[in-house]
Amino acid sequence: MTKIITPAWVKDAIFYQIFPDRFARSSRLQHAGLRFEDWDTPPTIYGFKGGDLYGIAERLDYLQSLGINALYLNPIFASASNHRYHTYDYYNVDPLLGGNEALRHLLEQAHARGIRIVLDGVFNHASRGFWQFHHVLENGDGSPYVDWFYFDPNRLQRKKPWGVYPHPKEEESLKKGEDSLTAIGYRAWWHLPALPKFNTQTPAVREFIFNVAEHWIRFGIDGWRLDVPAEIDDDSFWQEFRRRVKAINPEAYIVGEIWERADRWLQGDQFDAVMNYPAGEACISFFGRASLNLGEVRKAGYGPRIYPIDGREFLRRLTDIYTWYHPEIVHAQLNLFDSHDTPRYLTAVGGDRDAIKLGWLTLFTYPGAPCIYYGDEIGLDGGHDPECRKSFPWDENRWDRDLMSYLKTCIAMRKIHPVLRTGEFHPIFASEDVVAFARRNEQETLIIVLNASSFARDVTTPLGRFSLPDGRLATLLGTAAAYIKSGQFCVDGLPPRSGIVVGCQH
């Protein structure tokens, strides 16, 4: 049986996800003659705002002031799309982002501050501009790269033209569900012509991807976030990927974009963790239940799993998720509410800022590494793509200072108390609108109580599998009085739409 080991630093990580084109422009890059969209105009599907890696480096002090110590960057390699999931050169950072020297600079500046950097690895598909794919388009079955992708033999033998830029009839065929292999001449990810799917059964393709992964680990990155890795349906591929990466840096973080339960990939021989969307979905469903913007939520991949739930269902979900995996993996999960693939949390909960605070309090007290999507900390809103990819507003007059202050408090509390990073999770109490759970280790017990109702609430409940001595509990966050009386945990007057964290040393 594989021994399960995850990078030690991830348990202490506070992640911040950045969409590079939209976070910050640097004056260091002078793109003479190039035209970018105005920074503060609404985002578009095809337009570029001009954010770059030097801009991120220049804002590291800001990120450090929040308490951030790890960055997850959306793709940065050369691509003809603003999100850069259409990779055409895996060995070069996009020149619009500053090229390889900009990444080197960012890594040096971040590491000097103790900030790790995880890059987005897009290995399931490439782009129409990818050299090996283009080579086949030009040469058909005469190309030595013919086995790198999945091609229609008739197109390879020039009996039919390629549909890389499909004409209307081909587009209509795709919309009706025809396989891209026959409709346009090659297998494309989700039948999108811009994204030819790699044939990872070809040894040369596997070696190419493994070499890319190794190259950037040697360059100094701290890990890979793997884009749609389940669509490379091959355990041996990811086992070898892990072996290659960990041989260079055993502390490199490998986290997969799997939106559901992911036991198959979390046995210690493939990924360290996955993106914990289920926990985020539970928070949105409970804290935002009275104001859910279901119109926007339904556009996202997690949409069907978000709907109004009560506190009992919420705690049941959190407890269930906690039991899915080995404890080492549980504490390395990447916990998040929103991302470039979803409406922003603020929009999903209909603008309810109390729902954001309650969600953050849960995120920073639940097992796993919390991840904040850029701009959420200052109240940035936005519906589904492209609205969730707005430019960061660097005019501080537009910031929600109250939200930012609350987030800083949650981050500081997590950093001060190791129990919130590695302690056990214990469900304690749940009603229609109030939930309580504990984090516990040998040194300390903290109890988190969340009131999602519009009224003050009292709580009296047994602690369950553990006990604490009678007396007042110290308050770390919040205002209500909490104490132990005759073995019962009690809270008096927990304010509406708020939470508290209380506890004691053993």
Side-chain angles (χ1 to χ4, degrees), residues 35 52 91 109 113 116 164 217 265 276 284 287 289-290 315 318 335 354 378 400 405-406 413-414 438 450 452 493 497:
R35 184 176 66 184
D52 58 70
Y91 282 100
Q109 294 297 310
R113 293 169 169 80
R116 313 265 184 163
V164 287
I217 293 292
W265 297 276
N276 195 0
I284 295 170
F287 300 126
R289 61 179 178 166
L315 188 57
L318 292 188
N335 294 343
D354 289 331
I378 49 92
D400 187 322
S405 175
Y406 192 85
M413 179 177 64
R414 184 179 178 90
L450 307 160
R497 307 291 292 166

Side-chain angles (χ1 to χ4, degrees), residues 17 38 65 119 138 195 255 315 365 376 416 443 465 477 480:
Q17 180 188 348
D38 290 340
S65 75
L119 296 187
E138 293 294 327
L195 300 173
V255 56
L315 188 57
T365 57
D376 280 359
I416 291 170
Q443 291 76 40
R465 290 187 294 170
L477 184 150

Side-chain angles (χ1 to χ4, degrees), residues 173-375:
S173 296
L174 290 171
K175 290 178 182 178
K176 290 180 179 179
E178 183 178 350
D179 193 316
S180 55
L181 188 65
T182 56
I184 59 176
Y186 56 92
R187 178 70 43 74
W189 182 72
W190 282 31
H191 308 303
L192 297 172
L195 300 173
K197 181 175 173 60
F198 278 122
N199 179 2
T200 54
Q201 294 305 305
T202 298
V205 173
R206 296 167 81 95
E207 195 62 25
F208 172 82
I209 293 172
F210 298 151
N211 287 341
V212 168
E214 291 173 317
H215 172 80
W216 293 108
I217 293 292
R218 290 192 185 99
F219 195 88
I221 72 168
D222 298 291
W224 289 104
R225 177 268 189 188
L226 302 172
D227 183 60
V228 293
E231 299 196 31
I232 299 179
D233 188 13
D234 180 350
D235 291 347
S236 68
F237 178 93
W238 292 118
Q239 288 162 351
E240 179 67 5
F241 182 96
R242 179 186 180 90
R243 188 187 72 77
R244 297 280 195 98
V245 166
K246 298 286 188 175
I248 298 168
N249 180 5
E251 283 289 285
Y253 185 41
I254 302 174
V255 56
E257 184 207 2
I258 310 285
W259 290 52
E260 299 85 20
R261 183 166 177 170
D263 301 70
R264 170 183 173 182
W265 297 276
L266 298 177
Q267 300 299 314
D269 62 346
Q270 296 184 55
F271 310 157
D272 294 311
V274 294
M275 299 176 77
N276 195 0
Y277 278 103
E281 293 159 8
C283 290
I284 295 170
S285 297
F286 178 47
F287 300 126
R289 61 179 178 166
S291 57
L292 282 176
N293 185 342
L294 290 176
E296 285 298 329
V297 167
R298 293 289 181 260
K299 298 176 185 177
Y302 64 18
R305 299 192 293 271
I306 291 181
Y307 50 84
I309 63 173
D310 66 12
R312 299 178 188 89
E313 173 66 11
F314 175 65
L315 188 57
R316 185 199 66 76
R317 287 199 200 180
L318 292 188
T319 304
D320 193 32
I321 292 166
Y322 175 70
T323 64
W324 283 354
Y325 313 121
H326 186 281
E328 186 74 12
I329 287 172
V330 167
H331 293 294
Q333 290 290 85
L334 189 67
N335 294 343
L336 72 165
F337 299 132
D338 52 2
S339 71
H340 63 289
D341 283 327
T342 73
R344 286 185 176 271
Y345 191 127
L346 184 60
T347 295
V349 298
D352 184 348
R353 282 163 164 74
D354 289 331
I356 292 183
K357 291 180 179 180
L358 286 163
W360 280 343
L361 184 52
T362 305
L363 187 72
F364 285 90
T365 57
Y366 189 69
C371 182
I372 300 298
Y373 187 40
Y374 79 100

Side-chain angles (χ1 to χ4, degrees), residues 402-462:
D402 180 58
L403 278 183
M404 178 184 281
S405 175
Y406 192 85
L407 177 64
K408 286 183 176 181
T409 298
C410 291
I411 291 175
M413 179 177 64
R414 184 179 178 90
K415 287 187 171 184
I416 291 170
H417 295 272
V419 68
L420 293 177
R421 307 193 297 276
T422 58
E424 295 176 346
F425 173 89
H426 294 274
I428 292 177
F429 172 83
S431 66
E432 173 70 20
D433 44 31
V434 177
V435 166
F437 60 85
R439 299 295 305 280
R440 184 172 171 84
N441 61 19
E442 293 181 357
Q443 291 76 40
E444 187 176 26
T445 296
L446 299 185
I447 301 174
I448 297 89
V449 190
L450 307 160
N451 178 9
S453 80
S454 299
F455 304 94
R457 292 287 190 245
D458 298 332
V459 175
T460 300
T461 184

